[in-house]
Amino acid sequence: MSFLLDARLKTDCIEVSDLELSKLLLMNNRNVPWLILVPKKEDAVEITDLSITEQHLLLDEINLITQIQNKLFNPDKINTAAIGNIVPQLHIHIIGRYKTDPVWPAPVWGNLQAEPYHQGELQQRIQLLKHAIHI
Amino acid sequence: MSFLLDARLKTDCIEVSDLELSKLLLMNNRNVPWLILVPKKEDAVEITDLSITEQHLLLDEINLITQIQNKLFNPDKINTAAIGNIVPQLHIHIIGRYKTDPVWPAPVWGNLQAEPYHQGELQQRIQLLKHAIHI
């Protein structure tokens, strides 16, 4: 059995890195720094579909990505969430939010319009993230 | 230093139980089964403000509440989220969602109107939850 990234996530996001448990994706929306962890476990839908060992690994990766958010983007708040009402494949949003962002304090889902990164900006952001992961 | 539950959570929710790390609250909205874990740690805002031991405990409590959601309410999907844009005190939503609920597939925050439980119904639900926690 092999893991396949959901088609909607593949369309909306850019793959940044393969961590031990999860793929790290960047949502292609320059309005907020929006990162997503997708555990590479076929058919996982809820966090509780992972074993407790995998859940602890996921927590480690959530801690890493939260640190990277704070270090690189200095948000006012982090929103961490596993929703999955539209894309059932288990994925965890780790989104940097600002009191000045377009939809604060509302959640981004269903509210924040997509505004893709410009080409050079996207490459720069991905490099920045790849570099931060390996520190 | 002593933990005090945020005033907004106190107004909107009913306290169900004290778990090892967290208080378990029931959102007073009969539209969906909406449970909230509030780690009893003063000044915690992000999950990463907890020690790794506390985070593992939180994960155990998320697993317990997710099992209870599935057992008692049989939802189509669980939404697990730490948002905190309005109430900064760290709290984790564990919400049972149904394809037939009033705002599916949108997130509940900012979308689902509050419809308080009727008096007898509320007492019954709290008893049901208290009982499930001790199984």
Side-chain angles (χ1 to χ4, degrees), chain B residues 22-56:
Chain B
S22 313
K23 275 187 188 295
L24 174 65
L25 310 181
L26 172 67
M27 178 66 83
N28 194 5
N29 188 335
R30 65 195 296 276
N31 283 309
V32 292
W34 184 337
L35 297 168
I36 298 179
L37 289 168
V38 189
K40 291 170 277 184
K41 298 291 294 186
E42 205 180 1
D43 298 332
V45 172
E46 304 291 351
I47 293 168
T48 51
D49 292 337
L50 303 176
S51 71
I52 198 72
T53 308
E54 290 164 343
Q55 289 185 35
H56 286 178

Side-chain angles (χ1 to χ4, degrees), chain A residues 46 55 63 78-80 82 85, chain B residues 55 63 78-80 82 85:
Chain A
E46 305 290 350
Q55 290 185 34
N63 277 269
I78 304 275
N79 292 172
T80 306
N85 300 347
Chain B
Q55 289 185 35
N63 277 270
I78 304 275
N79 292 171
T80 306
N85 300 347

Side-chain angles (χ1 to χ4, degrees), chain A residues 80-94:
Chain A
T80 306
I83 314 262
N85 300 347
I86 292 170
V87 172
Q89 181 173 78
L90 177 61
H91 61 288
I92 296 90
H93 302 270
I94 303 169

Side-chain angles (χ1 to χ4, degrees), chain B residues 69-111:
Chain B
Q69 279 278 9
N70 285 328
K71 188 176 168 187
L72 297 183
F73 309 121
N74 198 29
D76 294 314
K77 186 73 191 70
I78 304 275
N79 292 171
T80 306
I83 314 262
N85 300 347
I86 292 170
V87 172
Q89 180 172 81
L90 177 61
H91 60 288
I92 296 90
H93 302 271
I94 303 168
I95 308 166
R97 300 296 309 274
Y98 300 87
K99 291 177 182 174
T100 54
D101 75 36
V103 299
W104 176 273
V108 292
W109 312 280
N111 292 312

Side-chain angles (χ1 to χ4, degrees), chain A residues 45-58:
Chain A
V45 172
E46 305 290 350
I47 293 168
T48 50
D49 290 339
L50 303 177
S51 72
I52 198 71
T53 308
E54 290 164 343
Q55 290 185 34
H56 286 179
L57 251 176
L58 177 61

Side-chain angles (χ1 to χ4, degrees), chain A residues 16-33:
Chain A
V16 176
S17 185
D18 258 304
L19 305 179
E20 187 174 347
L21 178 72
S22 313
K23 274 187 188 297
L24 174 64
L25 310 181
L26 171 67
M27 178 66 82
N28 194 5
N29 189 334
R30 65 195 296 277
N31 283 308
V32 292

